[in-house]
Amino acid sequence: MTLVEPELAARVLERALAHGGDFGEVYAEDRYGFALGLDDSKIERPQTGSERGAAVRVVNGDATYFGHVDGLAGDDLVRVAESVAQAVRAGDARRPAALAAARAEVVHAIRERPEEIDVARKAAVLRECDDRARGEGGEVAQVMASYAENRRVVEIFNSDGLAAGDDRTRVRLGVQVVARRDGRVETGHETLGGHVGFEILERDPAAVAERAARKALVALDAVDAPSGRMPIVVGNAFGGVLLHEAVGHGLEADAVQKRASVYAGRLGDALAEAFVTAYDDGRRTNEWGSDGIDDEGTPTQRTTIIEDGRLVSYLYDLLRARKDGVASTGNGRRESFRHLPVPRMTNTFFAAGSQTRDELIAGVDRGLYAVSFGGGQVEPATGDFVFGVSEAYLIEGGAITSPVRGATLIGNGVEALAAVDGIADDLRIATGFCGKAGQRVAAGVGQPHVRLRALTVGGTAA
Amino acid sequence: MSATDLERAAVRAVEAAVAAGADDAEAWAEHAVEREVRVYDGAVESLTDAAGNGVGIRSFSDGRWGYAYGTDLSEAGLSSLAGAAAAAARIADPDEHAGLPDETGAADAGALASPVLADWDTAQKVELAIEVERAARAREGVSQVEEALYADAAQEIAIANSRGFAASYESTIAYAWASAFAGEGSDLMTGLGVGMARDPSGLDPESIGAEAAQRAIDLVGARQPEGRRCPVVLDTFVAASFAGFIGGMLSADAVQRGRSLFAGRVGDEVAGQPFVLVDDGLHPEGPSSAPFDGEGSPRRRTALIEGARLLTFLYDARTARKDDRGTTGNAGRGSYRVPPSVSTTNLVLEAGPETLDDLVRRAGDGLYVATVAGLHSGVNPVSGTFSVGATGRLIENGELTTPVREITIASDLVTMLRAVQAVGGPGRWVPFGGSVRSAPVLIAEMQVSGA
């Protein structure tokens, strides 16, 4: 499909820059989504949505002028451009460069288009998840499963002559299980997803439900979490949320340029042991946080953020890259045509090391194995973070012992990075959603198992 | 577009849904014009001007329902949505309690739209945002104002259903906030200042900026203290976050699905006498006030916790039928992109006569909690146990003293609520935990972990 003809895009850009401006952009989007839930063994809340809209942006110096509208009617786009130009008042009209047509390419191969799959098969996946989770034991009290697919076709034109497009499809399955024993209630959660087609759910999707059920059941035996400073082994996959929150957000160039990041002015500094390398990789094939281009038309790429322990790059969109005199790293992302692009992570993860998980655990006499987090929060300006640990175990004498509940990890990103003293070889990436500036985007979080020398655990044990 | 035009669009959407085979149908339509100004270092950083509209259709058929939403309000667009909603309904399992509400109507919510908003031009709004930033920067000790923002929205909402109910209303909102830093390097601390009203004339840029500055300055030099069990004073912002979480747990949907620690506890003593929590969908100052809820039932005022006891849960039509009672008008609607579900409207934590200083004096030796982090990941909704990160200041001999950070406070919600000794004042609307009229709270004792 074509959303905006190049002639119309050119006319809109010309109007947008009628009162000057350094940069003009038209962003058009067609969004489709379908979602289905299962609760109490019943399929519920089926919903489908279709939206089309466009945004016009003009940058003049440090100021951005932005407008958006529902629908892609030519007259509406021109009207938005004129309204944005009204606010600019920079001076003389600027002539945008000539434009070619934007082609929405499929960069990450989709084998089975989800919208072409019979909805009955999607419902069947959820029912299979329900059965499998309940089959794990009589203490499984509730199973909630959700299926979601979406497709976003985007086209971007800018005054530098860029004309680019991207055709993105994502599929995600999530299962939450509640287990009950006497008065105790615990939950387990697992997801599977990617920038991928329905094929991701072809091979045993209910394994997700089985893992969620096991987590909930194991937690029934959990003891109260200890408090105090101790070594931590952080799980792979969703354990990477620690890197995402405590380091990644601080590397986003908007925070850095406003001195709202502890990592400002620290490029080239050794922040971690020499065996530590980390990437933001929006190109990783079929990964959850991947795209073909970012939401400003820059091709996605693998950016090394930490190399051999040194901080080597921040994450840039066009605006912040221009300010620092560097190239965009393809991290200009936005939730939809209703939002301004800002520097955002794509898939952010520690590179695999050479040890095994068991070797990392064997090196701990008394500590915590934090497998997965319920979520977290970080203050990028200070790097201070708090994470709720959703699945954790005690490590005693180099071995995993009892499950624990109610643990939180409290610390500081810079300190935590310096405390990494071992990385395993089992890299996995999980499907996260990242919120920033009121926008929610798909972000892959991941890592191999990672060991930290010491971190504060806020527990519930008296 | 006027509210009545929008109402007509909703009626047409319902007709399209019925034509597509629905036994019953409902349409929710929105139109909004929004303006947002972010300023940095005394100049505009971004200026956003937006208009949008959309509609969502619920299509009921044979005890099943499906939902479809979109931005195309043309005849063809509505008919395609109606078809999609009907197709979605066929996938669902039957739900004997689902259906249009038995009670529909519009209550008197007062004047929700301020005509003053239209009198303010963009330049005045930019100036307001710049004044907020200037007020924050002016305070000695402030090292940076990361962001100062002004935003407003004027929206029209309309609903129609196949039993002949149709209604609409207009509302406006304006808010501003600033995020200030004080201190440098590893001693850097942040503070937020906020204000909300129906139009910009109700915002005081000086106090918003000054609040952001003061909150940051108060925390400079924070260190991790020793752990302790002690009296705790929750700041107004923090109390709002907890109130919002508790409000979510009082949704009948969470209760009926076995996901609330309050299940089966109506009538029980769940809080200290001073802790009175009300959901007020019609509060004259409430940012979320409206004449009807997300499925067309009249909004109202519902006392949730009063006289130490839990009085009721919050209901929409579906959960009310399941419990064989009436709705409380709490079918919430995040936007036309989501079907209705039970949610709080405006939560009001009844304020008491004492000030924050009075509460601190009563605490004697303890902790004042200025911010919490990770509330939603840190609380088990079923057991109510929680452990959340916090910053604040020690209370020594009835005075606020050393700032502290990297601490956690842990308890379970009911234990905490029952230990509430006082709710202070003045009450104040804040955008934390939803839309909450909050106040500081004194808790007799909590576990605080530090070093």
Side-chain angles (χ1 to χ4, degrees), chain B residues 1-4 6-7 28-31 105-107 109-113 154-159 165-172 198 281 287-294 296-297 299 331 333:
Chain B
M1 186 177 287
S2 75
T4 43
L6 201 64
E7 205 173 304
W28 176 272
E30 298 173 3
H31 176 253
L112 301 174
Q155 67 169 3
E156 288 116 43
I157 300 282
I159 190 169
F165 176 69
S168 58
Y169 68 92
E170 297 178 17
S171 70
T172 59
R198 299 233 190 270
S288 298
S289 293
F292 50 84
D293 75 358
S297 296
R299 289 275 203 93
R333 206 75 187 217

Side-chain angles (χ1 to χ4, degrees), chain B residues 189-325:
Chain B
M189 297 305 288
T190 67
L192 269 185
V194 299
M196 42 207 305
R198 299 233 190 270
D199 66 60
S201 72
L203 300 174
D204 177 1
E206 174 62 36
S207 76
I208 295 166
E211 175 173 41
Q214 199 58 48
R215 285 179 177 271
I217 291 164
D218 283 347
L219 293 174
V220 171
R223 293 287 173 270
Q224 192 176 38
E226 300 279 315
R228 65 195 71 194
R229 278 192 80 79
C230 61
V232 167
V233 176
L234 303 180
D235 177 75
T236 298
F237 287 8
V238 175
S241 298
F242 275 104
F245 193 85
I246 291 161
M249 290 292 96
L250 294 177
S251 142
D253 194 53
V255 172
Q256 290 173 354
R257 291 176 193 267
R259 274 171 228 147
S260 168
L261 65 140
F262 293 109
R265 300 185 79 162
V266 169
D268 287 5
E269 210 173 285
V270 297
Q273 199 74 34
F275 189 90
V276 175
L277 188 67
V278 175
D279 181 84
D280 190 349
L282 296 170
H283 196 290
E285 294 156 17
S288 298
S289 293
F292 50 84
D293 75 358
E295 51 188 6
S297 296
R299 289 275 203 93
R300 67 207 71 185
R301 180 181 186 279
T302 306
L304 296 168
I305 297 173
E306 196 167 10
R309 295 187 192 280
L310 175 60
L311 300 183
T312 183
F313 300 123
L314 296 171
Y315 291 89
D316 62 359
R318 180 182 169 280
T319 53
R321 268 183 213 116
K322 209 166 175 176
D323 273 10
D324 201 18
R325 52 154 295 155

